[in-house]
Structures are given as C-alpha cells and as structure tokens.
Amino acid sequence: QTSFILLQVAFKMYLGVTASVSCSSAAGNEFSLILDKNPLVDFVEELPAERASLCYCNLLCGVIRGALEMVHLAAEVTFLQDRLKGDAVTEIGITFLRKAEDRKHKRN
C-alpha cells in the first residue's frame, strides 16, 4: 500500500502528472498506474508507420523499475496502454516479483 502512495506522490512531484492506482490482483502484487496525461508525448505528434512498434514512453518503465530496485523491490514494469498507439489512456502495469525482505546487517 505504501508503494502505491509513494509512486503517486513521485509522479506528481517530478512529472507534474496525477497517476491513479488500480489494483489488479487479490494478492496485491500487481497493479496499474493510469496517467491522466503523459508529458513525454507532448512533443510527439504521430509515430511513423515504419516505427509503429516503437514504445516511445518505455523510459518511464525503466525509471519506475530502477526506483523500485533502489528500495530493494524487484518488479516487472510494462506499458499496457499508450495514447500514442491510439489507446484511451496511458497505463503502466507493475508486478512485484518478490516481497521486500527485512534484512538485518551484521556488524563485523
């Protein structure tokens, strides 16, 4: 639950974007971030036909995954829907691969 709130606050602070969270699993290890707008697509009008498979906003997935790894949370982050590809919303799916472990470091 705390991770969801932190992601929402981070998107608002660093990108100026409001992200809503939609939990998609009973176990609580999968959820989606739905962005009201995506600042990375403001400067892209249309993807060229020969580059239709390009995931222009995949940078956000890497940033989220890296930030979660910094706090020892392994996650798979993928784009589920993208406005650049004609979808209604921008949706990023996040799946936690394992639970956070509380580690106590021994001093030598």
Side-chain angles (χ1 to χ4, degrees):
Q1 186 74 13
T2 305
S3 300
F4 304 148
I5 295 169
L6 290 175
L7 284 170
Q8 285 179 313
V9 170
F11 266 92
K12 187 66 175 171
M13 277 179 54
Y14 295 111
L15 294 175
V17 175
T18 303
S20 59
V21 176
S22 170
C23 190
S24 61
S25 76
N29 67 335
E30 291 183 31
F31 65 97
S32 294
L33 289 174
I34 300 172
L35 306 179
D36 61 348
K37 68 177 231 174
N38 185 348
L40 294 180
V41 300
D42 288 345
F43 304 104
V44 178
E45 292 181 14
E46 187 177 319
L47 292 175
E50 64 273 3
R51 303 282 187 231
S53 64
L54 177 68
C55 189
Y56 183 75
C57 299
N58 215 18
L59 172 74
L60 290 176
C61 293
V63 169
I64 293 169
R65 182 175 167 222
L68 290 171
E69 284 180 359
M70 294 300 291
V71 292
H72 305 290
L73 292 172
E76 181 179 305
V77 184
T78 56
F79 255 90
L80 302 176
Q81 296 184 51
D82 191 353
R83 285 190 180 179
L84 278 178
K85 304 221 181 208
D87 296 322
V89 295
T90 299
E91 181 178 4
I92 301 171
I94 300 173
T95 304
F96 290 112
L97 301 176
R98 63 178 183 270
K99 291 185 179 182
E101 299 173 11
D102 293 335
R103 298 181 184 177
K104 293 183 180 181
H105 298 285
K106 295 180 181 179
R107 294 185 182 195
N108 293 332

